[in-house]
Amino acid sequence: MLIKNSYLCGVMKKHRKSSIPVAAETRKSPTAIATDDRQHLLRLIRQGEHEQQDFKYKVMDAEKLARSVSAFANTSGGRLLIGVRDDGHISGVRSEEEIFMMHAAAFKWCRPQADIKFETLYAEGKTVVIATVPPSARKPVCALDDEGRPKAYVRIADENIVASPVHLSIWRMEASPKGQTMIFGDEERTILTTLADHPGLTLNRLVRLTRINRRQVIETLARLIRFSLVVMQHAEQQFLFYETTDER
């Protein structure tokens, strides 16, 4: 656990073969540290919530918090500012309790366990915990629901969205030690032609129009996306697929 405001206890030593005096160690006063924390925290708050940042008033449910951990780990990573309201107001938390809940979210309610780093800042007489989640090298990181069922999330704008079957297929391909080759056959041509004629199709609609097995459509879309021939976008609570040359 990393705490930003822990004093460093290293002792300055003189070089044995040098007669040059060594400057005395300088430490910031608690007031200066609090000022630095406040400035840093306000800079983060001014960014608002976005793909890599989320505000949490407090941690009440580690299970729900695991969804944010999953989404950050499966996308580009991100940080949770715990003790900050949605409007950016600093409410503060009791850091030990929040860190305990975050540990539970990352290690008990995520599979595989997610990496997480903690930083404690002090501003306006209150404590804010910053929990930073790096992008995972072992996707998908799934959040467990109350029945123990795993579900993967991705981060889009300032929302945690359940990953599509195409995401899962892409991650499986990325994890394969064999790599991936692109075989351009009838199914690929049919899907690309259908998307050219009907841009912005959902997965279910694409399956119906192409009359190709659903699982095969998912795997083919994953390959086409990996080779930049198709793009996937999220709009109106659903994932839509476009041929890359489409103007959106």
Side-chain angles (χ1 to χ4, degrees):
M1 181 175 68
L2 301 181
I3 304 298
K4 181 178 185 297
N5 291 328
S6 296
Y7 283 117
L8 299 177
C9 298
V11 177
M12 302 293 289
K13 295 183 179 179
K14 295 183 180 181
H15 194 286
R16 292 180 179 177
K17 296 184 180 180
S18 172
S19 60
I20 300 175
V22 178
E25 180 184 7
T26 59
R27 292 181 178 177
K28 289 186 176 181
S29 67
T31 300
I33 292 173
T35 300
D36 289 347
D37 281 2
R38 182 178 184 277
Q39 292 175 348
H40 175 53
L41 184 58
L42 291 179
R43 281 195 296 269
L44 296 179
I45 291 173
R46 280 195 291 268
Q47 295 177 17
E49 293 181 304
H50 52 73
E51 183 176 297
Q52 292 183 283
Q53 181 165 283
D54 201 2
F55 297 162
K56 293 292 182 184
Y57 164 46
K58 59 182 177 179
V59 178
M60 300 180 63
D61 190 334
E63 176 191 340
K64 291 182 179 179
L65 196 62
R67 300 173 190 172
S68 293
V69 175
S70 167
F72 283 140
N74 290 330
T75 314
S76 303
R79 59 180 169 262
L80 288 155
L81 274 59
I82 306 169
V84 177
R85 297 179 183 271
D86 289 343
D87 61 3
H89 176 74
I90 300 173
S91 56
V93 294
R94 287 185 286 185
S95 59
E96 291 184 0
E97 292 182 6
E98 308 305 319
I99 289 175
F100 176 82
M101 293 288 283
M102 282 299 301
H103 269 293
F107 302 128
K108 180 180 177 181
W109 293 97
C110 284
R111 296 291 183 275
Q113 294 179 350
D115 292 331
I116 194 164
K117 181 179 71 173
F118 298 99
E119 181 181 15
T120 302
L121 302 182
Y122 304 97
E124 300 177 1
K126 299 171 184 176
T127 300
V128 173
V129 174
I130 299 180
T132 301
V133 180
S136 176
R138 300 169 59 200
K139 298 180 179 71
V141 171
C142 295
L144 304 180
D145 64 18
D146 55 2
E147 297 182 1
R149 294 174 298 192
K151 188 174 292 185
Y153 292 81
V154 292
R155 184 78 175 174
I156 298 176
D158 60 351
E159 294 185 89
N160 303 322
I161 306 296
V162 176
S164 78
V166 178
H167 283 107
L168 301 179
S169 184
I170 290 173
W171 293 330
R172 283 194 297 269
M173 291 177 184
E174 290 175 345
S176 173
K178 299 179 181 179
Q180 191 72 30
T181 57
M182 185 69 199
I183 300 174
F184 204 82
D186 291 340
E187 291 176 348
E188 287 76 14
R189 292 188 183 91
T190 298
I191 288 175
L192 287 175
T193 299
T194 303
L195 290 178
D197 294 339
H198 307 278
L201 292 176
T202 63
L203 174 60
N204 290 339
R205 179 67 173 156
L206 184 58
V207 170
R208 287 196 295 270
L209 289 177
T210 60
R211 298 183 179 180
I212 300 173
N213 175 273
R214 177 183 173 86
R215 181 173 180 179
Q216 191 58 46
V217 170
I218 290 170
E219 293 180 354
T220 302
L221 279 172
R223 287 195 299 272
L224 291 170
I225 290 171
R226 292 193 69 204
F227 282 86
S228 302
L229 297 173
V230 167
V231 294
M232 175 170 50
Q233 295 187 350
H234 188 263
E236 298 179 356
Q237 304 302 312
Q238 56 189 351
F239 287 100
L240 306 176
F241 299 90
Y242 299 83
E243 188 182 18
T244 300
T245 54
D246 288 338
E247 293 184 4
R248 290 169 294 284

